[in-house]
Amino acid sequence: RKGRRISMTESNKTEAARVPTNRDRAFARQFALLGLYEWLVNPLSSPEALALIVPSLINQEDTEAGDLTPEEFDRCDQGLFRALLTEAITNREELEAEFSQYLNRPLKQVSTVEHAILLLGTTELRYHPETAYLVILDQMVELAKRFGSAEGGYKFVNGVLDKVARDLRPEETPRGRAA
């Protein structure tokens, strides 16, 4: 039996054409969160610049992303990562208005990590209908558990984004359909 040899060019095309997995999309959300956090702290960066800066933040001890790896960044769904980062930054005011109405305190009092997660979740709910709202809520809750405050920040994120989902995706949410 003769095996077919694959040239390096063919191998790269295969890798580039690879369909992103759920894990690749989860990594994209983590890196988009890292970029949004950085942008909320230093809003001078453009989405394009942030997309280039995020890899340099990996494994830095002074960031919340200290345990993320360059391999995970390479593996992440780059299209989703860039789309979420760009959409969140470009539409910040509109997105914040969408979730701020459900906050139990002024936005300035919300931690930067939770602010970034709410911005990211609202972005995906609004601009990515191909992803079920329950998947988005679950992913944002996991990000809040991993990176947010230990005092129940994930419950806060879940409660706010559940209400946002009812507004943006009433046909998908049980309470939205019943209303």
Side-chain angles (χ1 to χ4, degrees):
R1 265 163 79 187
K2 286 188 176 180
R4 182 173 176 262
R5 293 183 71 176
I6 297 176
S7 72
M8 189 57 133
T9 305
E10 287 173 329
S11 175
N12 290 343
K13 286 180 187 174
T14 303
E15 182 64 25
R18 183 175 65 81
V19 176
T21 65
N22 290 340
R23 189 166 185 199
D24 300 338
R25 288 186 286 278
F27 284 137
R29 291 179 187 101
Q30 288 178 36
F31 290 109
L33 173 62
L34 181 58
L36 286 174
Y37 179 89
E38 181 69 20
W39 182 75
L40 287 170
V41 171
N42 180 18
L44 301 176
S45 299
S46 70
E48 298 79 18
L50 275 172
L52 298 173
I53 291 170
V54 167
S56 70
L57 299 173
I58 299 168
N59 288 329
Q60 287 186 12
E61 290 182 24
D62 62 337
T63 69
E64 293 288 329
D67 58 346
L68 294 172
T69 67
E71 293 78 24
E72 290 167 336
F73 183 76
D74 291 341
R75 175 150 181 107
C76 88
D77 180 340
Q78 293 289 323
L80 180 61
F81 161 70
R82 290 177 184 278
L84 290 172
L85 199 56
T86 301
E87 291 159 348
I89 292 170
T90 304
N91 302 295
R92 176 189 183 172
E93 289 179 13
E94 173 188 331
L95 296 164
E96 286 177 344
E98 187 69 50
F99 70 75
S100 290
Q101 62 185 316
Y102 300 114
L103 299 178
N104 58 5
R105 57 189 175 262
L107 183 56
K108 290 180 180 182
Q109 292 178 7
V110 173
S111 78
T112 306
V113 171
E114 289 161 1
H115 183 173
I117 293 169
L118 291 171
L119 193 55
L120 180 63
T122 304
T123 299
E124 195 163 7
L125 285 166
R126 176 172 293 280
Y127 299 109
H128 295 272
E130 71 278 7
T131 306
Y133 91 97
L134 285 174
V135 171
I136 297 168
L137 261 61
D138 180 63
Q139 289 286 301
M140 296 307 121
V141 166
E142 289 305 313
L143 289 172
K145 285 179 179 178
R146 183 171 180 190
F147 300 112
S149 69
E151 296 86 38
Y154 71 94
K155 293 177 186 176
F156 171 71
V157 165
N158 186 58
V160 172
L161 289 178
D162 183 59
K163 291 173 185 161
V164 171
R166 284 187 234 161
D167 286 348
L168 296 178
R169 307 238 188 130
E171 68 290 343
E172 277 186 79
T173 58
R175 292 184 189 127
R177 285 192 303 263

